[in-house]
Amino acid sequence: MIKSAAIVKTKALAPWKELRLQKRKLKKSQAVERKATKQVRPSPIGRRVHVEVPEVIEEPIKDDSPPTRAEMLQQAEAIGLKVDNRWSDARLVKHIEELQWATQNDNS
């Protein structure tokens, strides 16, 4: 015997199955509604945007860092200071400044 599609379901579903069926129906209806109201927007990938880059003004960088050991040794050699390699940077700076101060005062 062939059953027709018009047979009405008389068997009751379990409550959890009923909830699951309702959720599925709700999701399907929401998806159909979204597709109906969907707005088509052009892809931003193909669009060319021209961005103006501001002009960069290059200024010389001010070197406020203390001189390196190599620079201090060059200064000491130019002044005529005999340097002991065991001297720390601070002691080397102190001796260079003392000699420069002394030569400036001798010249004036």
Side-chain angles (χ1 to χ4, degrees), residues 69 72-73 76-77 80-87 92 96:
R69 184 157 181 93
M72 289 188 286
L73 290 173
E77 189 177 317
L81 177 65
K82 186 175 179 185
V83 178
D84 188 354
N85 288 334
R86 296 174 291 181
W87 286 356
L92 187 58
I96 290 172

Side-chain angles (χ1 to χ4, degrees), residues 8-108:
V8 178
K9 226 179 8 173
T10 57
K11 186 177 178 185
L13 294 175
W16 63 272
K17 282 187 178 180
E18 189 69 37
L19 283 174
R20 190 167 70 182
L21 186 62
Q22 286 176 357
K23 284 183 182 178
R24 282 185 186 166
K25 286 180 182 177
L26 180 65
K27 281 186 180 180
K28 283 184 181 180
S29 66
Q30 286 174 343
V32 169
E33 189 178 319
R34 266 197 313 272
K35 284 182 183 177
T37 60
K38 184 177 179 184
Q39 294 179 351
V40 179
R41 295 189 181 117
S43 172
I45 296 171
R47 189 180 318 151
R48 292 183 183 227
V49 179
H50 296 284
V51 179
E52 292 185 28
V53 180
E55 235 180 86
V56 178
I57 300 171
E58 292 185 23
E59 296 179 7
I61 300 171
K62 295 178 182 175
D63 189 15
D64 295 338
S65 62
T68 61
R69 184 157 181 93
E71 291 172 348
M72 289 188 286
L73 290 173
Q74 286 176 352
Q75 274 185 331
E77 189 177 317
I79 296 172
L81 177 65
K82 186 175 179 185
V83 178
D84 188 354
N85 288 334
R86 296 174 291 181
W87 286 356
S88 66
D89 290 348
R91 186 167 183 184
L92 187 58
V93 168
K94 183 180 115 186
H95 284 286
I96 290 172
E97 288 176 353
E98 284 177 358
L99 238 114
Q100 284 178 343
W101 181 80
T103 54
Q104 286 174 357
N105 286 341
D106 289 344
N107 293 338
S108 15

